[in-house]
Amino acid sequence: MRLGIFVGCLVLVAVLVNVGWVPAGLGDANVAWVVLLALVISAPLSFVLLRKQRDEMSAQIAGRVAGAKDRLAANRSQEDAADDAARVGS
């Protein structure tokens, strides 16, 4: 989605530069100017427009991390129980 927003901004900026509404870059830097301007425009747009997707992904990752922590704690308790049993039997 982020790439789509960037491509849309890139096309828009390229059209505006060719029409003359946005100044072209200095000398041979026209392509770099268009790409840089598209990046500057697309970054805040994607931050605002993709907020819902970013929040959903964050919740999904947080759930996976919590599950991994629970599994790790369970494995540690199993190892501790086995170690304690081995020490008591010695």
Side-chain angles (χ1 to χ4, degrees), residues 2-45:
R2 169 83 172 101
L3 184 61
I5 291 173
F6 170 71
V7 170
C9 288
L10 184 65
V11 169
L12 178 69
V13 170
V15 167
L16 292 177
V17 165
N18 285 334
V19 171
W21 290 0
V22 175
L26 299 173
D28 294 332
N30 190 24
V31 174
W33 167 254
V34 170
V35 171
L36 182 64
L37 194 56
L39 280 171
V40 168
I41 292 172
S42 68
L45 281 176

Side-chain angles (χ1 to χ4, degrees), residues 72-90:
L72 182 61
N75 287 341
R76 283 184 184 162
S77 67
Q78 287 177 352
E79 290 175 3
D80 291 343
D83 186 46
D84 291 342
R87 288 179 191 220
V88 169
S90 306

Side-chain angles (χ1 to χ4, degrees), residues 53-69:
Q53 290 81 3
R54 188 174 55 249
D55 291 343
E56 289 174 359
M57 184 63 73
S58 175
Q60 195 175 48
I61 290 172
R64 288 182 184 172
V65 168
K69 284 182 179 180

